[in-house]
Amino acid sequence: MVLKGMVGLLLVFASVPGVAAELVGRATVTDGDTVTVAKQRIRLWGVDAPESAQQCTTKNGRAWPCGRRSAAALDGYLLDQTVRCLPKDTDRYGRVVAECFVRGESVNRWMVRSGWAVAYRQYATAFIADEADARQHRQNLWQGPFQMPADYRRSKRDQTVRSAPVAAQPAPGGCRIKGNISREGKKIYHVPGQRDYARTRIDLSRGERMFCSPSDAMRAGWQPARR
């Protein structure tokens, strides 16, 4: 009965477009929530680990490299182990999103319970209790204050945008409306005076462009920025 159940599970995964069947093998660690198994890059489902360059703080106020330590902890846990990953989805970067196991134990859960990652509530609630336990026992990340990984990534993106020089924009015939394409592929136009107008850069190679009037932008398929 167990064998039949596993075969059925593999067939389910194999039938989901874009999601691989079960992946088994030795793991190579990229960071605290990303590994490679069977030549497939895998994002650990439901957990979020600090970024490689991220620093955290001890209870005494000293900085320590929690991003590198998280990756090292995962690497040590998986060393010489056969890892079995059950895919659940694929992310926008083309990585398989999966829960992985060694010796029948969830690697994802171990990372959160040990305080080397946090529960990624945006995508799953399975490990919230494990996070609470790690926080209560001040495990690793929780030994002192730290920035949630998602907030750290967001702050780095914002810093990059603020520090980026604003290049001279192409403005044929004095046209000043900026037709920008977002990361999600949405076409949005910005008019002078709007909040993000000054820092919006136009990349003609990506299909972005300048417009002479809002009506021109809308006829071309662009929508107005909300603010």
Side-chain angles (χ1 to χ4, degrees):
M1 293 296 291
V2 175
L3 179 59
K4 289 183 178 179
M6 287 302 299
V7 170
L9 184 60
L10 290 176
L11 289 174
V12 168
F13 284 128
S15 66
V16 178
V19 178
E22 183 183 61
L23 299 163
V24 179
R26 298 294 174 88
T28 300
V29 173
T30 301
D31 55 37
D33 52 36
T34 310
V35 299
T36 299
V37 176
K39 299 181 179 181
Q40 179 67 60
R41 193 170 171 86
I42 298 170
R43 175 64 162 84
L44 296 181
W45 168 77
V47 311
D48 200 14
E51 296 299 303
S52 298
Q54 189 170 345
Q55 299 276 314
C56 296
T57 310
T58 67
K59 63 180 180 181
N60 297 322
R62 291 178 301 178
W64 62 285
C66 55
R68 289 193 285 112
R69 296 275 183 84
S70 172
L74 179 59
D75 188 56
Y77 186 67
L78 301 181
L79 183 65
D80 296 330
Q81 299 293 327
T82 297
V83 181
R84 181 172 61 93
C85 296
L86 301 180
K88 293 178 177 288
D89 201 352
T90 56
D91 68 10
R92 60 178 177 171
Y93 303 108
R95 298 175 299 185
V96 171
V97 179
E99 184 167 14
C100 298
F101 299 83
V102 293
R103 302 181 297 274
E105 298 292 330
S106 169
V107 175
N108 308 43
R109 188 177 301 280
W110 181 86
M111 285 295 289
V112 177
R113 190 174 62 240
S114 300
W116 288 119
V118 299
Y120 209 170
R121 290 168 171 77
Q122 182 179 347
Y123 298 102
T125 59
F127 308 118
I128 291 177
D130 301 282
E131 181 190 285
D133 185 72
R135 183 169 59 247
Q136 180 182 352
H137 292 92
R138 298 186 179 279
Q139 294 273 52
N140 297 309
L141 300 179
W142 300 102
Q143 64 184 281
F146 70 96
Q147 191 173 27
M148 285 291 181
D151 293 335
Y152 175 84
R153 292 191 295 271
R154 191 176 302 113
S155 68
K156 287 298 181 183
R157 286 196 297 268
D158 290 345
Q159 287 176 16
T160 300
V161 170
R162 286 196 297 269
S163 62
V166 179
Q169 300 297 335
C175 300
R176 301 181 61 203
I177 296 175
K178 298 178 180 180
N180 173 248
I181 301 176
S182 71
R183 292 189 183 90
E184 294 77 27
K186 295 181 179 179
K187 296 181 176 180
I188 302 169
Y189 70 82
H190 303 261
V191 301
Q194 287 188 303
R195 189 190 68 175
D196 296 327
Y197 179 86
R199 65 181 184 183
T200 298
R201 305 180 69 189
I202 300 304
D203 184 349
L204 299 178
S205 67
R206 296 182 61 239
E208 297 175 335
R209 52 186 289 197
M210 302 295 289
F211 294 99
C212 297
S213 69
S215 58
D216 288 344
M218 294 185 73
R219 277 196 296 270
W222 265 258
Q223 297 298 315
R226 293 182 178 179
R227 51 189 177 183

